[in-house]
C-alpha cells in the first residue's frame, strides 16, 4: 500500500532558553528544507536544512515570546506555520497531498492548523481576497488569540486590500500581538511599502569575471530577482525552471560583504542564469529600489519596471512569471 507523504514536526522542549523543532517529511529523503522565524533579538533567522535518509531534520530556535516559525519546501513555498517560544513543546503534522494540518501543544498552533486545513485551495492558488476574507472570519471568532495576530500579520495579503487589513487589526485584542509577531509584521509591511517603487529601467550590475551586466526591464517580459547570501537556499532549485521560460530573465543578487567572499560563494556554481554582486550589501544604492527585508527574498519586475511580486515564497514568485 502506497504511503501518503506527510510532514511531522515536533517542537520539543529545548529548555527555558530555547525551543527545538524536530521534523520529519515522509518520502522526502536528503531534501532541502527552510525554516524561518524572528528570534529574541529581533533578527530574522533562516535555517537552511537538509533532511536525512528518513526525511528528518532538527533545528533549535530562540524566542522569549511567541514567534511565528515558517517551514518552506522548494517549489511549494510555505508548508507549515507554528507559534513557538522558549520552552514550548508542540507537535504538528502536515499532509502535502491534501494540505491538511494537525497541531497539538498550544491553542494558537491548534487553531492555525485548523485554519490552514480549511483554506488549502486559496493558499495554494494565492487568492488574496479569499484568504483575507477567511482570516477576517477567523479573527472575529478568536479575537484574543495570538493565532489571529499571526494570520493577519504573516499570512494575509496586505496588497489585496490594505485599508481593510488595517481595520481588521483593530478587532484583535492588544495582548494577542506579541512583540515578535509585531516585529515580523513590521518587516512584511516594508515589503508592501516598497511595492509602489518602480525599478529604474536601466541598471548596471557587477557579475563574475570582473565584468558588468547592463540590465533593462524592457528586454524581458518579467525579471525575477532572487536576493541571497549563499547558494544553498531551498528556493534556488526553482530558478533554473524560471530561467528557461520565454522572455523571462533571472538575476540572482548576492548580498555578501566583499568580492573575495562572493568569488568563494559562486566558485563551484554551475548556474546558467546571471549572478550579481551587490557591493555594500543593503547599503548599495541599487537596493533603494528593492528593499529586501531579509534573504532569501524574491522580487518580480515587469517590462515597465513595476514590482508585481515581493516576498519569500518562491512558488508565488514563479506563478507570476508564467
Amino acid at each position: 500500500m502506497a504511503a501518503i507523504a506527510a510532514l511531522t514536526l515536533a517542537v520539543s522542549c529545548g529548555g527555558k532558553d530555547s525551543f527545538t523543532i524536530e521534523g520529519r517529511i515522509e518520502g522526502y529523503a536528503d531534501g532541502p528544507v527552510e525554516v524561518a522565524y524572528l528570534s529574541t533579538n529581533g533578527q530574522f533567522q533562516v535555517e537552511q536544512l537538509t533532511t536525512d535518509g528518513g526525511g528528518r531534520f532538527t533545528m533549535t530556535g530562540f524566542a522569549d515570546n511567541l514567534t511565528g516559525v515558517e517551514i518552506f519546501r522548494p517549489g511549494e513555498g510555505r508548508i507549515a506555520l507554528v507559534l513557538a517560544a522558549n520552552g514550548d513543546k508542540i507537535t504538528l503534522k502536515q499532509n502535502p497531498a491534501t494540505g491538511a494540518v494537525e497541531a497539538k501543544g498550544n491553542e494558537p498552533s491548534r487553531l492555525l492548523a485548523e485554519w490552514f486545513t480549511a483554506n488549502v485551495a486559496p493558499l495554494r492558488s494565492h487568492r488574496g481576497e479569499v484568504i483575507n476574507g477567511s482570516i477576517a472570519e477567523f479573527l472575529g471568532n478568536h479575537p484574543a488569540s495570538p493565532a489571529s495576530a499571526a494570520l493577519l500579520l504573516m499570512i494575509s495579503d496586505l496588497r489585496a486590500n490594505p485599508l481593510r487589513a488595517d481595520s481588521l487589526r483593530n478587532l484583535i485584542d492588544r495582548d494577542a500581538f506579541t512583540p515578535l509577531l509585531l516585529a515580523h509584521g513590521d518587516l512584511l509591511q516594508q515589503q508592501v511599502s516598497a511595492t509602489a517603487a518602480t525599478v529604474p529601467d536601466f541598471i548596471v550590475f557587477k557579475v563574475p569575471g570582473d565584468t558588468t551586466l547592463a540590465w533593462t526591464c524592457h528586454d524581458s517580459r518579467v525579471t525575477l530577482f532572487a536576493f541571497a547570501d549563499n547558494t544553498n537556499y531551498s528556493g534556488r532549485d526553482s530558478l533554473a525552471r524560471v530561467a528557461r521560460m520565454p522572455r523571462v530573465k533571472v538575476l540572482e543578487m548576492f548580498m555578501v560583504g566583499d568580492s573575495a567572499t562572493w568569488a568563494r560563494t559562486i566558485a563551484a556554481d554551475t548556474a546558467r542564469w546571471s549572478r550579481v554582486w551587490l557591493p555594500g550589501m543593503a547599503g548599495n544604492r541599487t537596493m533603494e529600489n528593492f528593499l529586501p527585508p531579509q534573504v532569501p527574498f524574491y522580487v518580480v519586475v515587469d517590462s515597465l519596471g513595476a514590482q508585481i511580486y515581493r516576498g519569500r515564497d518562491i512558488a508565488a514568485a514563479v506563478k507570476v512569471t508564467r
Side-chain angles (χ1 to χ4, degrees):
M1 181 176 62
I4 297 177
L7 164 68
T8 304
L9 293 175
V11 182
S12 59
C13 182
K16 294 182 179 180
D17 299 325
S18 66
F19 64 84
T20 301
I21 297 182
E22 298 177 350
R24 181 169 180 257
I25 307 174
E26 295 183 7
Y28 189 61
D30 304 316
V33 175
E34 183 178 294
V35 181
Y37 73 102
L38 211 61
S39 65
T40 296
N41 59 7
Q43 296 296 311
F44 199 85
Q45 306 293 332
V46 180
E47 299 283 346
Q48 306 289 345
L49 307 173
T50 301
T51 62
D52 64 15
R56 300 177 180 84
F57 64 90
T58 301
M59 66 83 67
T60 299
F62 306 90
D64 57 7
N65 57 85
L66 280 178
T67 190
V69 184
E70 300 172 286
I71 297 88
F72 298 84
R73 282 183 61 190
E76 295 186 37
R78 183 193 297 108
I79 60 173
L81 169 66
V82 64
L83 294 187
N86 292 343
D88 273 347
K89 185 176 181 179
I90 299 170
T91 60
L92 183 145
K93 180 184 293 185
Q94 191 259 3
N95 185 325
T98 65
V101 182
E102 298 177 18
K104 298 178 182 178
N106 69 29
E107 185 65 5
S109 293
R110 185 189 69 80
L111 291 173
L112 283 173
E114 290 183 354
W115 185 87
F116 265 72
T117 298
N119 290 274
V120 172
L123 286 170
R124 288 181 169 177
S125 58
H126 306 285
R127 296 162 60 193
E129 287 287 2
V130 177
I131 292 170
N132 287 357
S134 179
I135 290 175
E137 180 180 357
F138 179 93
L139 66 86
N141 294 326
H142 307 282
S145 175
S148 291
L151 286 175
L152 183 64
L153 296 175
M154 299 177 64
I155 306 298
S156 66
D157 187 343
L158 300 179
R159 290 161 298 185
N161 193 331
L163 293 178
R164 187 186 186 199
D166 191 56
S167 65
L168 289 175
R169 183 167 178 156
N170 295 326
L171 300 179
I172 303 175
D173 292 0
R174 181 177 300 179
D175 291 343
F177 293 96
T178 68
L180 287 176
L181 285 177
L182 284 172
H184 200 136
D186 289 342
L187 278 176
L188 296 178
Q189 186 60 47
Q190 291 178 27
Q191 300 176 18
V192 177
S193 299
T195 302
T198 299
V199 175
D201 59 5
F202 183 80
I203 305 175
V204 176
F205 295 112
K206 185 173 178 58
V207 296
D210 199 27
T211 58
T212 58
L213 168 70
W215 171 85
T216 173
C217 60
H218 308 305
D219 286 345
S220 305
R221 179 171 53 83
V222 293
T223 302
L224 170 59
F225 293 88
F227 294 88
D229 59 6
N230 63 72
T231 59
N232 297 319
Y233 57 98
S234 62
R236 197 170 196 252
D237 292 344
S238 298
L239 299 186
R241 184 168 73 255
V242 175
R244 291 193 296 268
M245 295 179 180
R247 298 200 64 221
V248 175
K249 191 172 186 64
V250 173
L251 268 68
E252 193 172 23
M253 318 287 281
F254 286 97
M255 300 175 65
V256 294
D258 56 78
S259 58
T261 301
W262 180 48
R264 289 193 300 271
T265 299
I266 65 173
D269 190 37
T270 59
R272 296 181 180 274
W273 53 84
S274 299
R275 294 158 298 168
V276 171
W277 174 45
L278 295 170
M281 299 187 289
N284 188 298
R285 292 194 62 183
T286 301
M287 303 301 286
E288 296 175 1
N289 305 104
F290 294 99
L291 297 176
Q294 69 270 329
V295 292
F297 191 78
Y298 308 99
V299 177
V300 180
V301 176
D302 67 14
S303 60
L304 297 178
Q307 300 187 40
I308 58 177
Y309 176 79
R310 294 176 55 83
R312 288 182 45 78
D313 190 338
I314 184 60
V318 170
K319 182 179 179 181
V320 301
T321 64
R322 294 170 181 164

